[in-house]
Amino acid sequence: MPPERRPKLHFGGVGLINDEAWRNVERAEVIWVVEGITSMLAVQSALPKSIAEKHVVFTTGGSSHYPREELAHVFTGKRVILVMDNDTRAE
């Protein structure tokens, strides 16, 4: 699907979500991967402007799925920071 036809928050199926991050990922030095959309927005807004151009923040959409293998190249040569929720399961 051409970029202009893609949904605004989502790239394909299970994987990495954030249209802004996809636009800037090639020039980024650091990739943050967080669990949910609220975490993505919080981290993205907390990054100081002085480093924000070099950082992108993706979410897995609140899922426990790993990014698809065909997206692995996105992480090559980047520093990757994983920030997952500390959820507890109800028994």
Side-chain angles (χ1 to χ4, degrees):
M1 178 179 298
E4 66 273 11
R5 302 268 307 152
R6 290 184 194 142
K8 295 296 177 198
L9 288 176
H10 166 263
F11 180 84
V14 172
L16 301 172
I17 302 168
N18 184 347
D19 194 51
E20 181 179 341
W22 280 112
R23 284 192 304 269
N24 298 307
V25 73
E26 286 186 29
R27 69 173 185 225
E29 296 174 9
V30 179
I31 297 175
W32 294 73
V33 180
V34 301
E35 191 169 342
I37 290 175
T38 54
S39 297
M40 178 191 75
L41 295 171
V43 171
Q44 194 168 274
S45 66
L47 291 172
K49 289 187 188 264
S50 61
I51 66 166
E53 289 182 0
K54 298 176 184 173
H55 291 243
V56 294
V57 184
F58 285 109
T59 178
T60 58
S63 70
S64 59
H65 297 283
Y66 294 100
R68 296 185 317 260
E69 188 174 329
E70 62 265 26
L71 298 179
H73 71 279
V74 170
F75 302 104
T76 302
K78 313 283 186 183
R79 180 174 176 212
V80 179
I81 300 171
L82 302 174
V83 183
M84 298 293 111
D85 291 351
N86 190 21
D87 297 335
T88 56
R89 294 183 182 180
E91 300 274 337

